[in-house]
Amino acid sequence: MTIINYTPKYCADITQLVTEFYDEALKENDGGLDIDTLHKTIEVYKDNSFLLIREDKCIGLIAGLTAHSPINSDKVYQEIVWYVTKSHRRYGVYLLREVEQILKDRGYTSIIMGCMHNSKTDKLFRLYNRLGYKPLETHFRRSLCQK
């Protein structure tokens, strides 16, 4: 297994992964998945997208953006998606730990991981706590569009 930065070679794999992520974690709280927007987003965040490759297939990814602390010079990585196929979930922590090291080597001082509120929230909270993450803040969402 290897971890690489985004490359268009794996665009179809990533589209499938994000679609699975959407169905599993976002669907109940979101208005829909638009594949064209997804592809544009991937292109914008490609330098901060890390792919877990096994047998020349992308089986997982962590993608995010760079933020800078408004109160000091800290360079922060804000995760926007972390997903590993169900059949390869056992490699999810491996992917996270490797990405943490890559980010550290690139001068990041911290990483912020999101946790969607859904049926798996408690499980993910326990995992983050076990890995040394501390709760930071909770966001609330309200749709402004009628559906």
Side-chain angles (χ1 to χ4, degrees):
M1 266 187 301
T2 59
I3 295 173
I4 63 170
N5 268 111
Y6 170 79
T7 175
K9 174 182 178 178
Y10 297 104
C11 187
D13 290 346
I14 292 167
T15 300
Q16 180 62 38
L17 284 170
V18 173
T19 300
E20 290 173 21
F21 170 72
Y22 176 82
D23 288 343
E24 187 176 320
L26 293 174
K27 195 172 195 173
E28 64 189 74
N29 294 316
D30 194 57
L33 176 63
D34 178 57
I35 298 301
D36 289 334
T37 300
L38 170 61
H39 289 164
K40 291 174 188 172
T41 302
I42 290 169
E43 188 61 32
V44 169
Y45 296 114
K46 65 183 176 189
D47 293 336
N48 280 334
S49 297
F50 304 94
L51 313 181
L52 179 61
I53 307 298
R54 182 172 189 212
E55 297 174 359
D56 204 35
K57 181 162 177 60
C58 180
I59 59 167
L61 80 148
I62 292 180
L65 54 92
T66 300
H68 297 278
S69 172
I71 58 172
N72 58 37
S73 62
D74 284 359
K75 183 177 172 184
V76 179
Y77 183 84
Q78 171 67 59
E79 171 260 346
I80 55 175
V81 61
W82 173 29
Y83 189 79
V84 178
T85 60
K86 286 183 180 183
S87 60
H88 294 92
R89 287 278 157 86
R90 65 189 174 276
Y91 300 114
V93 172
Y94 167 78
L95 173 60
L96 178 59
R97 291 301 198 204
E98 291 294 312
V99 168
E100 288 173 343
Q101 186 59 52
I102 292 167
L103 295 171
K104 184 177 177 182
D105 293 346
R106 291 182 181 181
Y108 287 83
T109 57
S110 60
I111 181 172
I112 298 172
M113 298 295 291
C115 181
M116 298 295 168
H117 286 260
N118 56 36
S119 61
K120 295 181 170 100
T121 302
D122 291 338
K123 183 178 180 180
L124 195 52
F125 265 57
R126 287 191 303 275
L127 174 65
Y128 282 137
N129 281 322
R130 193 175 76 238
L131 296 175
Y133 284 78
K134 305 286 185 233
L136 179 64
E137 125 183 295
T138 297
H139 295 261
F140 294 88
R141 179 176 182 194
R142 180 174 183 258
S143 177
L144 300 176
C145 301
Q146 302 253 348
K147 293 197 180 199

